Amino acid sequence: MPPKTERSDKKEVEAIVLDFLQWGYADDKRPLNQREPIILAIGTDQFKLLELIPKRNLAINLHDKVYIGDGERKVVERVKRRVSYAELSNTARGELEPVIAEIIAESEPRFIKFYNEAVPISLKLHMLNLLPGFGKKTLTDTLTERQKKPFESFDDIRSRVKTLQKPEKFILERIMLELENPDEKYHLFTSK
């Protein structure tokens, strides 16, 4: 079992807009004037998929970063609930990968720390093996290189581990797998 983190108990502080539904969901049967606008967003820390209620009459664009923590919020009135991947609109699903890639790029040290500190889960399974496409050769090369010296950046990983030319892509694919599959046993980057 991977080490327990405080992640699942923490609240998201910022989220990135995946879709803005000015008149709410299309299948809502209420008259337009009774519907509330909805923002579908993803948290920047734990990748929680969220349904947010914005303050009225604000211009909201895809990929906007919005504050959802405690205290005064400029754009969001309230966090309504968490949503599953299946509940996302088609637009939100289409924006999900580019937004996650953006979060990974902005938080590079966090993911470099993962490559430097990942540990075995069991005798036969390492945390790095949970990254889609991460095989024995890549695992061996990565562990050998990080023993010599901890990784400092994605470019450092690329230059030292020849079988790992897109380290951020492995993380992106793992996050997508965790979001798309609610029955996933191990959550490395998302909270259940």
Side-chain angles (χ1 to χ4, degrees), residues 83-144:
V83 294
S84 67
Y85 178 82
E87 294 174 286
L88 291 178
S89 67
N90 289 334
T91 301
R93 286 183 194 181
E95 295 300 321
L96 195 54
E97 278 194 44
V99 167
I100 292 171
E102 187 179 308
I103 294 169
I104 292 169
E106 288 176 2
S107 308
E108 185 174 338
R110 170 179 157 199
F111 298 104
I112 295 303
K113 182 178 178 183
F114 170 77
Y115 277 107
N116 284 327
E117 297 178 1
V119 295
I121 295 169
S122 69
L123 290 174
K124 295 184 179 187
L125 185 63
H126 197 282
M127 288 172 81
L128 291 171
N129 285 124
L130 295 175
L131 300 175
F134 214 95
K136 288 181 184 180
K137 172 87 170 114
T138 307
L139 176 65
T140 304
D141 293 350
T142 304
L143 294 177
T144 301

Side-chain angles (χ1 to χ4, degrees), residues 2-191:
K4 277 279 185 199
T5 62
E6 305 163 18
R7 190 170 293 166
S8 59
D9 297 338
K10 282 175 48 181
K11 289 169 62 175
E12 293 281 5
V13 176
E14 290 183 319
I16 296 180
V17 176
L18 299 171
D19 196 7
F20 176 55
L21 308 169
Q22 187 172 359
W23 305 109
Y25 292 107
D27 59 359
D28 189 343
K29 304 290 185 221
R30 295 177 297 173
L32 285 178
N33 64 339
Q34 291 179 3
R35 297 184 195 177
E36 56 187 358
I38 293 171
I39 297 173
L40 294 172
I42 185 168
T44 58
D45 183 41
Q46 302 170 61
F47 300 98
K48 289 179 181 175
L49 299 173
L50 303 166
E51 184 177 292
L52 312 173
I53 305 303
K55 293 183 176 179
R56 295 284 180 176
N57 304 322
L58 289 175
I60 298 166
N61 299 307
L62 299 185
H63 298 242
D64 280 356
K65 191 178 280 189
V66 295
Y67 177 74
I68 57 171
D70 296 332
E72 183 64 31
R73 299 176 183 155
K74 291 184 171 134
V75 176
V76 176
E77 183 180 306
R78 70 183 190 277
V79 177
K80 187 170 183 181
R81 65 186 181 112
R82 281 183 68 177
V83 294
S84 67
Y85 178 82
E87 294 174 286
L88 291 178
S89 67
N90 289 334
T91 301
R93 286 183 194 181
E95 295 300 321
L96 195 54
E97 278 194 44
V99 167
I100 292 171
E102 187 179 308
I103 294 169
I104 292 169
E106 288 176 2
S107 308
E108 185 174 338
R110 170 179 157 199
F111 298 104
I112 295 303
K113 182 178 178 183
F114 170 77
Y115 277 107
N116 284 327
E117 297 178 1
V119 295
I121 295 169
S122 69
L123 290 174
K124 295 184 179 187
L125 185 63
H126 197 282
M127 288 172 81
L128 291 171
N129 285 124
L130 295 175
L131 300 175
F134 214 95
K136 288 181 184 180
K137 172 87 170 114
T138 307
L139 176 65
T140 304
D141 293 350
T142 304
L143 294 177
T144 301
E145 285 300 321
R146 87 172 187 192
Q147 280 180 335
K148 293 177 186 173
K149 179 183 165 202
F151 298 115
E152 296 172 2
S153 67
F154 288 137
D155 288 334
D156 186 29
I157 293 173
R158 276 189 277 279
S159 67
R160 292 170 48 197
V161 183
K162 299 303 175 206
T163 55
L164 189 52
Q165 290 305 300
K166 294 185 179 178
E168 57 278 281
K169 186 176 182 219
F170 284 99
I171 291 172
L172 171 68
E173 289 177 7
R174 178 64 200 185
I175 293 168
M176 288 300 295
L177 180 78
E178 291 176 18
L179 291 174
E180 291 171 358
N181 184 0
D183 299 325
E184 184 61 37
K185 184 175 180 181
Y186 300 109
H187 285 255
L188 301 178
F189 304 109
T190 66
S191 62

